[in-house]
Amino acid sequence: MSSAASSIKQSPNVNNAASGGHGWPRRTPQGQPHLDGNKFTASQPLTINRPINLYPLTNYTFGTKEPLFEKDPSVPARFQRMREEFEKIGMRRSVEGVLLVHEHGLPHVLLLQLGTTFFKLPGGELNAGEDEVEGLKRLLTETLGRQDGVKQDWIVEDTIGNWWRPNFEPPQYPYIPPHITKPKEHKRLFLVQLGEKALFAVPKNYKLVAAPLFELYDNSQGYGPIISSLPQSLCRFSFIYM
């Protein structure tokens, strides 16, 4: 593991002939926002400039709980179960949560580490017919939920990625290949807004690490294609360091 991952503990005027003058056009077709300096004067959807609050890692407390084991003892067993379930219920649906904190004004992603080289986002498989957001909340509680009976408040903000598994094999892609009519798994990633403070319980067989975005960027060898693509997926958000 790289040492960079922390273990838990005015615009110029332009000539516009159509407007008959200089500067940005003041009139635009109906329904089209016009630029006024750096501002949009028409209403804009939140996704134009979506703010996300990031709190310091030190705001969070981490305890431990009983180990959380995978359903399958090996990779071949996992794909065999996927084949069997595909025949019965069709494509597998999975969800994962991206939980962000900051250290020294740098965004970090909370990852679960198993062993020395395997990292994963918290989440997992959905039950048949289960709502994606509710399923993610269930899985986050199973994985990191506290054990003292206090209900964890998971705020699922937005979708940040969709990945597809075309065959019963490890490769996944951020699109469905054109020759694939029945993908075997759809994995959706969600951004989860953490509260100002929280207590998490980490399964004993995992280690929770905070990996900075610069460590993940273009590092599929260390973190795999999905996690290493998170800096590109997250760059559309405006981070507010609290």
Side-chain angles (χ1 to χ4, degrees), residues 82-83 85-94 125-129 132 163-166 168 176 180-188:
M82 187 181 289
R83 287 178 182 274
E85 292 180 348
F86 187 81
E87 296 298 323
K88 298 176 182 177
I89 62 175
M91 180 184 68
R92 175 175 293 179
R93 299 182 304 133
S94 302
E125 302 169 25
L126 295 173
N127 297 322
E132 289 178 326
W163 289 76
W164 307 85
R165 190 188 304 277
F168 299 110
I176 304 176
I180 299 297
T181 58
K182 295 182 179 180
K184 307 309 182 286
E185 182 179 6
H186 174 208
K187 178 178 293 183
R188 180 165 289 174

Side-chain angles (χ1 to χ4, degrees), residues 87-221:
E87 296 298 323
K88 298 176 182 177
I89 62 175
M91 180 184 68
R92 175 175 293 179
R93 299 182 304 133
S94 302
V95 290
E96 292 181 343
V98 178
L99 285 60
L100 298 173
V101 298
H102 80 83
E103 278 196 293
H104 312 297
L106 293 172
H108 288 58
V109 181
L110 296 184
L111 300 174
L112 291 164
Q113 179 181 355
L114 184 62
T116 57
T117 60
F118 180 73
F119 299 88
K120 63 177 291 185
L121 293 164
E125 302 169 25
L126 295 173
N127 297 322
E130 187 174 23
D131 176 79
E132 289 178 326
V133 172
E134 293 306 313
L136 177 59
K137 291 179 179 180
R138 171 183 62 81
L139 290 161
L140 288 174
T141 297
E142 292 177 2
T143 308
L144 295 173
R146 52 198 296 167
Q147 301 290 282
D148 56 5
V150 177
K151 185 179 179 181
Q152 205 90 10
D153 186 21
W154 304 107
I155 302 174
V156 180
E157 278 284 347
D158 207 343
T159 300
I160 61 171
N162 289 278
W163 289 76
W164 307 85
R165 190 188 304 277
N167 302 301
F168 299 110
E169 297 171 351
Q172 299 175 77
Y173 304 93
Y175 55 88
I176 304 176
H179 62 285
I180 299 297
T181 58
K182 295 182 179 180
K184 307 309 182 286
E185 182 179 6
H186 174 208
K187 178 178 293 183
R188 180 165 289 174
L189 276 60
F190 291 94
L191 179 62
V192 179
Q193 172 69 71
L194 293 178
E196 181 178 0
K197 295 180 182 294
L199 167 64
F200 302 108
V202 184
K204 290 181 179 179
N205 57 326
Y206 284 98
K207 184 178 182 180
L208 194 67
V209 300
L213 292 190
F214 68 79
E215 167 68 14
L216 303 182
Y217 177 69
D218 200 27
N219 193 359
S220 60
Q221 183 175 358

